[in-house]
Amino acid sequence: YEKYFDTKAYIGAAAFYKNLSTYIVRIPSTGFDFTPYITAASGVPATAPRVGTFTQPVNGSGGSIKGLELSGSFPLNMVADFLDGFGIEASYAYTDSQITLPTGGVTVDNILTNTIPLPGLSENVGDLTFYFAKDGFEARLAQRYRSSFVGEVSSCTGDRQLTYIKSEKILDGQVSYEIQSGIAKGLQLQFQAQNLTNEPFIRYRDVESNVIERVKYGKTYLFGVNYRY
């Protein structure tokens, strides 16, 4: 459902449901005989073992994804003329997902249950943006949030492992100006600052208070020049 107010503002809502007949997982198999795949050109020593662990993708059991999305954009000059150029954009999504991992073999890191949310999906995701755009000048300040979710990390051997990742709030800012007339018309200067609050990346075991890794990546600053004609 979408509702538009002239050409200035809108609100939107959407509901969704998806049934997953299967979910692909990578499972290591022990006792795999590599002999048929070893040739003289492979450089494997004659004394090296021929039986080891082989990891491959397989079709696991299914699951489901369902949820609700809300969004809106509101220029503030609809409230008062002196607020011309200012505005607010916001969105929110609630997602309920579930898959069941095989009872053995799946590579995980500190996940103690077989029923988990779909990896990569947070239950709650939202963002709120305040902006000003007028006469070639534009400024934005955006706060985005996602609740805890199941993600992936690399093990010491380079394998991908499922793990719990803690919720985060990321604050970004952007300022730009586009020249409106003269020989340089269409030239835009842009400055961006990402993760202004230096939000850390946090992994945990079972409950959020049981932190097992905390990494700060710091802020990122970008400067750009664009031109259009």
Side-chain angles (χ1 to χ4, degrees):
Y1 173 82
E2 293 179 333
K3 171 66 176 178
Y4 293 86
F5 304 91
D6 294 328
T7 59
K8 296 181 177 181
Y10 84 93
I11 56 174
F16 58 89
Y17 175 82
K18 174 182 271 190
N19 178 62
L20 302 175
S21 60
T22 184
Y23 178 74
I24 298 175
V25 294
R26 294 179 59 84
I27 295 182
S29 301
T30 58
F32 185 86
D33 187 2
F34 289 91
T35 302
Y37 308 98
I38 298 176
T39 64
S42 63
V44 178
T47 57
R50 266 41 179 179
V51 176
T53 300
F54 177 67
T55 301
Q56 63 181 337
V58 300
N59 288 321
S61 59
S64 64
I65 308 172
K66 57 186 176 182
L68 175 69
E69 296 176 344
L70 304 173
S71 61
S73 178
F74 306 95
L76 295 183
N77 60 3
M78 297 179 66
V79 178
D81 291 340
F82 71 87
L83 294 175
D84 185 40
F86 291 93
I88 299 174
E89 297 175 345
S91 67
Y92 168 76
Y94 169 78
T95 303
D96 179 23
S97 63
Q98 179 177 294
I99 61 169
T100 301
L101 299 175
T103 54
V106 174
T107 304
V108 298
D109 184 18
N110 302 302
I111 291 180
L112 307 179
T113 178
N114 292 103
T115 301
I116 62 170
L118 196 69
L121 293 183
S122 294
E123 185 175 72
N124 296 286
V125 175
D127 68 77
L128 179 63
T129 301
F130 296 94
Y131 68 86
F132 176 80
K134 189 175 182 180
D135 299 329
F137 180 81
E138 182 175 338
R140 288 179 173 265
L141 189 64
Q143 174 84 73
R144 49 193 172 92
Y145 167 80
R146 70 179 303 177
S147 58
S148 300
F149 63 100
V150 175
E152 287 188 335
V153 292
S154 294
S155 69
C156 59
T157 59
D159 294 325
R160 304 300 295 175
Q161 293 181 320
L162 298 178
T163 187
Y164 285 121
I165 299 177
K166 194 173 182 179
S167 60
E168 62 181 14
K169 292 181 180 179
I170 306 294
L171 182 65
D172 299 330
Q174 176 179 306
V175 178
S176 66
Y177 178 71
E178 182 176 319
I179 299 174
Q180 303 293 290
S181 60
I183 192 172
K185 181 179 180 181
L187 181 67
Q188 182 190 59
L189 306 178
Q190 185 179 90
F191 175 76
Q192 296 179 348
Q194 301 173 354
N195 194 18
L196 287 167
T197 56
N198 200 15
E199 185 79 354
F201 170 84
I202 299 175
R203 294 198 298 124
Y204 65 94
R205 177 186 291 112
D206 203 26
V207 294
E208 289 195 13
S209 59
N210 191 5
V211 174
I212 58 176
E213 182 183 18
R214 182 185 181 93
V215 181
K216 284 192 174 184
Y217 292 103
K219 307 176 184 68
T220 301
Y221 300 101
L222 303 170
F223 178 76
V225 178
N226 301 314
Y227 179 71
R228 63 180 181 178
Y229 61 91

